[in-house]
Amino acid sequence: MDHATLRATVVAALADVESLNAKLNGLLAAIDGTDTAVDLGRQGLWTKAQVALLWSKVNHLPGVRALFEATAERPDEKVTFTEILQRSGLPERQQSNEHAALSRISAQLFKGKRWPIENSQGGSDSTTGKAEMLYWMDSRVATWWREIAQ
């Protein structure tokens, strides 16, 4: 086995261990009644421990930070991609790249590209004709995130 393949295998195994650890901690918390899971529909079930694990891996990304901050400040309200861009100050492509990184990291941790933030394609703007992504965070997840991010 060459060095690159061996390294990739070890990195994947570490991600599996972290993912399993988060899932088992979430299950234990559910059994003990110390943590609740929030069902975010197509984004799946989330626990505070899972949000904390994901945040610990993505908090260095300014675009992801802007996404979490903006949606947590206005829980259950839709926030536009433009608002996230304005907050992060990043070029559109870099912001999109950081959203892709969030998806990749989440997939490594939880075996699925899912976020603790819901999203959908908005309607087309009457001026530009461009449809914009919308993001929102459940109020319970927003409370967890604010506690975690302090």
Side-chain angles (χ1 to χ4, degrees):
M1 186 179 294
D2 66 53
H3 179 76
T5 304
L6 179 59
R7 186 179 192 294
T9 302
V10 170
V11 168
L14 287 171
D16 286 345
V17 168
E18 287 182 39
S19 176
L20 179 60
N21 188 29
K23 287 177 184 175
L24 290 174
N25 281 328
L27 179 59
L28 184 59
I31 291 167
D32 292 343
T34 58
D35 201 3
T36 41
V38 174
D39 188 351
L40 298 181
R42 68 183 183 89
Q43 298 297 340
L45 290 172
W46 283 87
T47 65
K48 184 177 181 181
Q50 290 172 316
V51 173
L53 177 61
L54 179 61
W55 182 245
S56 73
K57 304 295 183 186
V58 299
N59 65 19
H60 66 285
L61 299 167
V64 173
R65 179 174 288 280
L67 173 67
F68 275 71
E69 288 173 350
T71 56
E73 281 177 4
R74 295 177 14 214
D76 300 318
E77 289 182 36
K78 292 182 177 165
V79 178
T80 65
F81 184 74
T82 299
E83 291 175 84
I84 306 298
L85 275 176
Q86 290 168 347
R87 183 177 201 106
S88 72
L90 296 173
E92 186 173 333
R93 176 172 297 289
Q94 182 60 34
Q95 184 70 42
S96 294
N97 287 345
E98 293 200 6
H99 289 199
L102 174 60
S103 292
R104 259 191 327 277
I105 292 166
S106 181
Q108 290 170 344
L109 295 173
F110 308 116
K111 302 302 176 221
K113 291 182 182 180
R114 59 191 194 97
W115 297 0
I117 297 168
E118 297 179 77
N119 60 73
S120 68
Q121 185 75 42
S124 296
D125 181 276
S126 58
T127 310
T128 64
K130 183 179 176 184
E132 185 165 21
M133 287 301 293
L134 302 172
Y135 306 91
W136 63 99
M137 185 182 284
D138 180 278
S139 59
R140 296 161 293 181
V141 175
T143 299
W144 293 342
W145 181 78
R146 284 191 294 272
E147 292 169 1
I148 293 162
Q150 288 182 350

